[in-house]
Amino acid sequence: MSVAVPERQRLRLDVEGMTCASCAARIERKLNKLDGVEATVNYATEEAAVSFDPSAVSVDDLIATVEAIGYHAALPSDVADAPDAARAVRTRLAVAAVLTAPLVAFTMVTPLRFDGWEWLALALATPVVFWAGAGFHRATLLNARHGAATMDTLISVGTLAAWTWSTVVLVGGIDAHTYFEVAAVITTLILLGRWLELRARGRSSEAIRALLELGAKEARALRDGEEVLVPVAQLAVGDLFVVRPGEKIATDGVVVEGLSAVDQSMLTGEPVPVEVGPSAEVAGATINASGRLVVRATKVGADTALAQIARLVAEAQAGKAPIQRLVDRVSAVFVPVVIGLALATLAGWLLATGDVSAAFTAAVAVLIIACPCALGLATPTALMVGTGRGAQLGILIKGPEVLEQTRLITTIVLDKTGTVTEGRMWVEDVVPAVGVEHDELLRLAGAAEAASEHPIAQAIAAHAREAVGQLPTVESFASRAGLGVEAVVESRAVVVGRPAMLAEWAIELDARLAERFAAEESRGRTVVAVAVDGKPAGLFVVADRLKPTSAAAVAELRRLGLEPVLLTGDNERTAQTVAGEVGIDRVRANVLPGDKSSEVQAMQDAGEVVAMVGDGVNDAPALAQADLGLAIGTGTDVAIEASDLTLVSGDLRAAADAIRLSRRTLGTIKGNLFWAFAYNVAAIPLAIAGLLDPMIAAAAMAFSSVFVVTNSLRLRRFRSIREVTT
């Protein structure tokens, strides 16, 4: 008896009110306590990625859970709130800076002081602490009601302690130092850091935002033969629309009329426009560079290539790398530990020195310096920038765990057909028999092959049309599976196929043709013989061409420390020929489609960590079996679904780019985490020892977060091999 497994739903929630990694960890814990819910909360993107059982939990339940602990949650909207948040923080920062500047001046510069200056200090500091810093105090109270503490708790407790102590000293006439400037400067610096962070975080996701904005807004739909300008949203599958030169293609479709070159660089990263004509597939948001096209829509809305790319990137950004989970555990206990350290510092200084002012200063410095923001931003910001830059280059990273795998790969297996080669047959040479005209051979053989659907036959027919134009009509036709075709063209008997088929007609190749036949086959080429009216007429040399960049791609993969292996169902001779041309030493030939995954597993069993690059349905099991699967985006949906990385371009150099970018992103994450941890490890002991002024601590804390984000932004300058060599 089988048990029905409930179908799970996935959604993203926009979450407002998070101020640090501790907030994200707290929301995540609450959501994961719900029955059937698996959630990850990303502080950098301000989103929660939730997988849940709709029979146990509703969307309203998810939102209510987030709201109940003091944050705001909603389904994603098309309105970007990040600029509004940055503007709000900027306003409070401006007011705080205007009030804090004179306060610092006469507090720090003795000649500027006057009788009663402390009362002016109180007047200036109060709006800074309570109005400009209101967000910190509000979040602290909200979290306190739920028994939680966050970064805001540290800031709020530190600034309020400095303000309260100073007010008591001033009003009570106590002979002690006041700290109004500390409370004001800390608030101002933290706001400055928050504003810079919001701006930088906005830039970190602008690559994918720009990608989404690439889509056309209007389309020239054909209605009863007339062009009608309509919003793209009104296009339906099957609709015809016109694309004029210089315009964006409105949505994914197939060309039904016209010839042009299409600039696909925004999707594939390829700088060279692609020639298209009738039956060619085109993607929405790409640019028609030359001729007028009429296109039939095949995908609209969320099904388009652009929308799918955006969704894959968003899902990758919402995930968490294994290294981030350690950070989350640290952040969850960090704030309570810091508060404990601050209290211990206060008590320790009082017991050791009896100096209340020094004890208070050290305790406040501990509270301010120990913010875990940099830790919380280290991974997601690098992931946002890296995946966004990848999307611009036509590289889709399915999830953050993929980054870890790219570092470990030792071997990269390349499927031959469609990956190293173009995946379609081309006529490499035409060899007429003595006394047979070149064009006559093309006309007759091309006409006979045009009636066949075999890839080799279609290659010969296409080559003939290109060379001689219109082909003659076939009067009769018969196909012999595995051998070739027989036809009557212009009352002449034409046989095209293997020598064995010609032998059935008692036709033998002459010595010259037979020698050429053997030579080409020894090079791994496919050779087709032609006979006309019972006599040998010539040969067609056919091959699946190498992609022009495959050799450069293999060389780059070697430079990355990977050993390439060619995997193919072709015979050993053809496989060795292709491998030799691109610089591959290891070859696995005669591999049946169902055995590709077994070949990958055998390498893994031998201790190799294997990446696999493929494009076809028969590559999907091997892509899934590999430690890292890379699907050529020109291939099938099944292959793409089974992979970890998708290369929108058919250029194999994109595989090297993908591994380089993934490794660079992982390196940036690790660098961010190192500096964030090192900052806290070094700074907290200095604060406890009383060697760190609270204002310097606030500046350092703000700088640490900004440093992590700006370090991540360096990934935007990553250049692909294709860009460098173009």
Side-chain angles (χ1 to χ4, degrees), residues 227-294:
E227 293 182 22
V228 180
L229 207 59
V230 300
V232 168
Q234 291 184 13
L235 283 181
V237 172
D239 283 354
L240 293 177
F241 61 92
V242 174
V243 190
R244 294 177 180 175
E247 292 182 342
K248 290 180 180 178
I249 295 172
T251 192
D252 295 6
V254 174
V255 176
V256 296
E257 182 183 316
L259 298 171
S260 183
V262 174
D263 180 355
Q264 300 180 337
S265 58
M266 67 286 297
L267 291 183
T268 66
E270 294 292 342
V272 181
V274 176
E275 299 292 331
V276 299
S279 79
E281 294 184 356
V282 291
T286 55
I287 298 173
N288 179 21
S290 52
R292 178 182 182 272
L293 295 175
V294 178

Side-chain angles (χ1 to χ4, degrees), residues 590-714:
N590 297 306
V591 179
L592 297 174
D595 294 336
K596 288 186 176 181
S597 61
S598 300
E599 288 287 337
V600 171
Q601 186 170 1
M603 296 178 200
Q604 291 170 323
D605 291 343
E608 299 177 70
V609 183
V610 181
M612 167 78 188
V613 187
D615 74 323
V617 172
N618 58 17
D619 296 325
L623 288 168
Q625 173 65 41
D627 299 288
L628 181 71
L630 296 91
I632 296 288
T634 51
T636 65
D637 290 341
V638 176
I640 292 169
E641 187 64 31
S643 69
D644 302 302
L645 283 160
T646 298
L647 314 175
V648 180
S649 163
D651 189 336
L652 187 58
R653 291 178 299 176
D657 284 334
I659 292 171
R660 285 176 56 237
L661 177 60
S662 296
R663 288 180 175 179
R664 182 83 60 84
T665 303
L666 180 63
T668 300
I669 289 173
K670 291 185 173 180
N672 285 347
L673 289 173
F674 170 79
W675 287 111
F677 272 116
Y679 157 82
N680 279 299
V681 168
I684 291 177
L686 290 175
I688 291 172
L691 301 175
L692 203 59
D693 184 275
M695 289 189 289
I696 296 175
M701 189 275 280
F703 172 76
S704 69
S705 294
V706 175
F707 168 79
V708 161
V709 179
T710 52
N711 186 49
S712 298
L713 287 172
R714 293 190 307 127

Side-chain angles (χ1 to χ4, degrees), residues 306-327:
L306 184 67
Q308 290 173 350
I309 287 171
R311 186 175 66 251
L312 284 170
V313 175
E315 288 175 357
Q317 291 179 346
K320 290 191 177 180
I323 198 168
Q324 175 66 18
R325 302 190 185 280
L326 170 63
V327 175

Side-chain angles (χ1 to χ4, degrees), residues 178 320 387 565 697:
T178 59
K320 290 191 177 180
T387 53
V565 178

Side-chain angles (χ1 to χ4, degrees), residues 567-589:
L567 184 68
T568 179
D570 272 352
N571 61 68
E572 184 76 26
R573 185 168 52 196
T574 300
Q576 290 290 354
T577 299
V578 171
E581 290 177 349
V582 297
I584 296 176
D585 300 325
R586 289 175 63 185
V587 174
R588 296 286 187 274

